[in-house]
Amino acid sequence: MNSRTSFFNKSLIRSDLRRLWWISALHTIGIFLFYTFLYLDQYTGEYGYLPTGVYTDFGTSPIYRMSPAFYVLAILVPVGLSAFLFSYLQNNSSMTCLHGIPVSRKTHYFSHLLSGGIMLLIPVLINGLILLIFRTNKNVADSYRIIDLFWLLASGLLYELLSFTAASFIMMIVGNAFAGFCLTFAVAALPAVAESFVFYFCEQQLFGYVYNGDYSLIQFLYALPDEMLTSGKWILYLALSVVFVLAGYGLYRIRNLENHSEIIAFPKLRPVFVYGVGICFGCGG
């Protein structure tokens, strides 16, 4: 029997991989069809597009500018995967079965996180390997540097890590998987929406107010579509991922497992959710 104090349980990890391997497979195919294939189709063959110059940094490399689909999938798929991984918390029979085995909540939580990380890592590495293999074609080899491929894969994994840990944190709060999926994106967009509303209110009500984008929370928190990740955002996103993991574990430890049918599993947070939704609809109206 595995120790109750261990962080990971091999049986739980294998069960997750057997149950949800198809998400990883679809993720692999999605990255290939909407990114890797498009890139190779453009640069392979006798009439492939040759690079027009020497690319000295990742931000100007064609492998970075090719398609936003790689990053879109890196944000969307981890949220769905987290919802499936922790869906047992919303089902009474599954929850009773899993929490009836001699495994602590800590082991449950970190085992699911590890299995999710494995399923997110494999698609990125497979497509990276495909791009690396096709460097035998001169057109492909001339279109990007090895270091550009490394930064592409690393930045994609960073987006996946942040999205997955944030979604897992939200799944500890909610008692409904669909609500968790929606609430994850709502929380992610909340800083931008709040700042935009404040700036709009100030422009309308304060005479002489001028918006200064240099101090924008949006620019500080978000990596815009045409923006390469800076070292500051790398540190910020890694720190946020650690915070989400620890906060999610803290919530899992104190969560009342009987509240599996509620939108918000913590009664004290329900007024926050209700008033938050009301304020959002009020501002939108």
Side-chain angles (χ1 to χ4, degrees):
M1 182 182 297
N2 292 326
S3 171
R4 290 175 178 268
T5 60
S6 63
F7 278 89
F8 307 109
N9 181 285
K10 293 181 180 179
S11 297
L12 286 176
I13 295 172
R14 285 197 297 266
S15 175
D16 286 338
L17 295 178
R18 286 196 301 266
R19 182 167 59 97
L20 299 175
W21 64 268
W22 57 273
I23 296 180
S24 187
L26 290 177
H27 190 24
T28 304
I29 295 172
I31 296 176
F32 178 78
L33 291 179
F34 297 109
Y35 180 84
T36 307
F37 175 77
L38 296 179
Y39 190 88
L40 296 176
D41 182 60
Q42 179 169 332
Y43 285 96
T44 56
E46 182 180 356
Y47 302 103
Y49 294 102
L50 293 174
T52 57
V54 178
Y55 302 100
T56 58
D57 63 82
F58 174 59
T60 59
S61 173
I63 202 172
Y64 173 72
R65 298 290 180 180
M66 179 62 200
S67 170
F70 181 76
Y71 296 103
V72 172
L73 290 173
I75 294 173
L76 294 179
V77 173
V79 179
L81 177 60
S82 177
F84 278 101
L85 278 172
F86 293 103
S87 62
Y88 68 91
L89 291 174
Q90 287 89 47
N91 184 284
N92 186 44
S93 59
S94 299
M95 180 190 63
T96 302
C97 177
L98 282 175
H99 284 277
I101 61 178
V103 174
S104 66
R105 292 195 186 189
K106 176 181 66 177
T107 304
H108 270 290
Y109 180 73
F110 286 103
S111 295
H112 295 313
L113 287 185
L114 179 59
S115 58
I118 294 172
M119 285 186 278
L120 292 174
L121 176 65
I122 291 175
V124 176
L125 293 184
I126 289 178
N127 280 274
L129 181 61
I130 293 173
L131 286 169
L132 188 62
I133 291 173
F134 271 86
R135 278 181 62 86
T136 54
N137 183 297
K138 187 179 184 300
N139 291 352
V140 177
D142 289 342
S143 66
Y144 71 88
R145 303 169 301 168
I146 295 293
I147 191 65
D148 295 333
L149 177 60
F150 169 79
W151 283 116
L152 174 76
L153 302 182
S155 58
L157 289 173
L158 180 62
Y159 280 117
E160 289 193 342
L161 175 65
L162 179 61
S163 183
F164 180 64
T165 54
S168 299
F169 165 72
I170 296 297
M171 293 303 164
M172 297 303 105
I173 299 176
V174 301
N176 180 278
F178 180 74
F181 188 86
C182 297
L183 188 59
T184 299
F185 291 105
V187 171
L190 183 61
V193 174
E195 183 183 60
S196 299
F197 175 76
V198 170
F199 285 149
Y200 175 78
F201 177 83
C202 291
E203 288 177 350
Q204 295 296 315
Q205 304 297 326
L206 300 179
F207 178 77
Y209 175 82
V210 178
Y211 166 68
N212 188 345
D214 294 336
Y215 301 98
S216 171
L217 185 63
I218 295 176
Q219 292 186 0
F220 176 74
L221 286 178
Y222 300 97
L224 301 178
D226 59 346
E227 175 189 352
M228 188 175 65
L229 283 174
T230 62
S231 57
K233 283 197 170 66
W234 273 87
I235 296 173
L236 174 64
Y237 288 177
L238 287 173
L240 285 175
S241 298
V242 172
V243 169
F244 283 134
V245 169
L246 296 178
Y249 171 59
L251 290 176
Y252 195 14
R253 288 185 61 189
I254 63 175
R255 177 182 171 123
N256 186 346
L257 297 179
E258 283 72 25
N259 293 338
H260 54 80
S261 60
E262 302 287 343
I263 297 296
I264 302 297
F266 294 87
K268 293 183 179 180
L269 292 179
R270 289 170 193 166
V272 177
F273 175 78
V274 172
Y275 288 118
V277 171
I279 292 173
C280 291
F281 277 101
C283 293

